[in-house]
Amino acid sequence: MRKPAQWKVELVDQVAKEISSSNVTAIVSIKGLRNKQFQDIRKSLRGEVKIRVMRGTLIKKALEKAQKKDIKGLEQFVSGQVAVVTGNIGAPVLYRRLEGTKQRAPARGGEIADHDIVVEAKETSFPPGPMISEFQKVGLQTAIEKGKIVIKKEAVLVKKGEVITPEKAKVLERLEIFPLIVGLDVLGAYEDGIIFTKESLSITPEQVAADVATAFARAKALALRATFMVPEVVPELLAKAKLEADALALAAGFLTESNVQLFILKAIREANALNAALQGGSESPAAEEARGEEKKEEEKSGEEDASAGLSALFG
């Protein structure tokens, strides 16, 4: 068996040490990233993280040698054009930093569009000449106006999922339309024995807060429907019970000290309604006022009983 080159052995050992001494290790895709863009990203992250571009087999060997529990779980992300990123920041922070370094880039041809690429109707900076035929070859409707080539109609030059041809890529670059977003794309990260996927790292604190609020609201609604007595729904349940009890007492003619005012208001309302019916007219202002007073009394009674119920339950 041929002995591996010394530089490979040294590189693997060095990267294994960096992984072992770092808080976070990530496998990132560098597919489609041009050298200048890569150097710009590396420069912007200098002092925060180390980026190692190496073959997948060497990355896997470095992961095997690293003194980290379950670090080999990152091997599942080592495929294609990848690099190793190490640093002493948290995995979510690393993800956000790398996302923040992504840049728009022109297509070269051969890429798959991840969204519809639209060319708007507009005046271009090109004078009449060869560019007219280039535009027309890719399906753009053009005309000459005031000595400039004008794109007359908006067009979807490349639909989502289609391959960007070299001809269309050339036209897009001429029009300064950069459809690609390139950068270090996190595939997976390791921190404190946990493997994080890109999907889990992309969750923001705002999303978590919104999900918790939604879950709480749904749980509370379910508890109310099921009459499940927990502190969060006791006030609403007591108020509901009070209103239902008052309605039942009124319907059954059951008079108590707490609902006598409701009976009086009900009697006034019914008397006025009868009077209005006998006179063939609408309810008098006094009747309307009595109806309003009855409603206020019901609401007040419900609130007072709910407060009293809470005091009794929780002291």
Side-chain angles (χ1 to χ4, degrees):
M1 185 176 178
R2 191 170 63 179
K3 187 177 180 181
Q6 185 61 30
W7 69 268
K8 290 183 180 180
V9 174
E10 292 175 357
L11 178 60
V12 167
D13 288 343
Q14 180 60 37
V15 174
K17 288 179 182 178
E18 291 172 0
I19 293 172
S20 299
S21 62
S22 298
N23 182 63
V24 63
T25 300
I27 304 298
V28 300
S29 171
I30 58 173
K31 184 179 180 180
L33 192 61
R34 297 179 183 179
N35 184 60
K36 183 182 183 306
Q37 294 162 336
F38 177 73
Q39 295 305 328
D40 288 344
I41 292 172
R42 173 173 269 172
K43 184 178 179 181
S44 69
L45 296 172
R46 187 170 295 157
E48 293 183 75
V49 299
K50 290 183 179 179
I51 306 171
R52 294 280 192 175
V53 179
M54 50 201 293
R55 290 183 178 180
T57 53
L58 299 182
I59 293 176
K60 289 180 180 180
K61 287 185 179 297
L63 291 173
E64 289 176 3
K65 284 193 171 186
Q67 302 299 310
K68 289 279 188 176
K69 180 184 177 182
D70 298 328
I71 189 72
K72 286 186 65 178
L74 284 179
E75 288 185 5
Q76 61 184 300
F77 304 108
V78 181
S79 178
Q81 301 174 39
V82 294
V84 181
V85 179
T86 56
N88 288 317
I89 55 180
V93 176
L94 174 63
Y95 175 81
R96 290 194 293 271
R97 287 289 290 117
L98 294 182
E99 285 293 300
T101 63
K102 289 185 175 180
Q103 308 170 16
R104 287 206 163 272
R108 300 173 179 175
E111 301 91 347
I112 304 295
D114 62 1
H115 63 282
D116 287 348
I117 302 175
V118 178
V119 177
E120 297 178 351
K122 64 177 182 178
E123 178 185 289
T124 73
S125 60
F126 302 105
M131 281 304 300
I132 294 178
S133 62
E134 290 190 29
F135 286 153
Q136 291 176 344
K137 281 180 183 178
V138 297
L140 296 177
Q141 296 182 20
T142 59
I144 305 298
E145 294 180 6
K146 299 179 182 179
K148 299 287 185 182
I149 299 175
V150 175
I151 298 172
K152 297 294 292 182
K153 186 178 180 182
E154 181 181 288
V156 178
L157 196 63
V158 185
K159 291 183 179 179
K160 180 179 178 180
E162 290 182 348
V163 176
I164 304 173
T165 65
E167 294 78 16
K168 291 182 178 180
K170 183 179 179 181
V171 167
L172 288 170
E173 187 168 8
R174 290 291 188 92
L175 293 171
E176 296 184 347
I177 297 174
F178 305 134
L180 306 181
I181 298 177
V182 298
L184 300 179
D185 194 24
V186 177
L187 303 177
Y190 170 94
E191 182 183 3
D192 292 334
I194 301 172
I195 301 293
F196 296 91
T197 64
K198 178 180 179 178
E199 289 72 23
S200 61
L201 289 170
S202 64
I203 298 172
T204 64
E206 292 76 17
Q207 286 176 300
V208 173
D211 288 344
V212 170
T214 300
F216 177 81
R218 290 176 178 173
K220 186 175 180 180
L222 180 60
L224 283 169
R225 287 197 299 271
T227 320
F228 185 67
M229 295 292 285
V230 290
E232 289 77 9
V233 299
V234 165
E236 288 91 338
L237 289 175
L238 290 176
K240 180 184 176 185
K242 171 60 179 170
L243 291 174
E244 291 175 350
D246 284 342
L248 180 61
L250 282 172
F254 185 74
L255 185 65
T256 66
E257 290 184 6
S258 64
N259 67 10
V260 65
Q261 187 67 26
L262 293 177
F263 274 93
I264 294 171
L265 292 172
K266 179 184 178 185
I268 293 172
R269 186 184 67 185
E270 291 176 348
N272 281 289
L274 179 60
N275 181 54
L278 291 173
Q279 294 180 5
S282 59
E283 287 186 336
S284 65
E288 293 180 0
E289 183 178 350
R291 187 190 300 276
E293 288 297 325
E294 181 180 353
K295 185 176 180 181
K296 289 179 182 178
E297 185 64 28
E298 288 177 351
E299 292 175 352
K300 180 180 178 183
S301 177
E303 291 174 359
E304 290 176 350
D305 280 19
S307 298
L310 280 174
S311 299
L313 282 172
F314 303 110

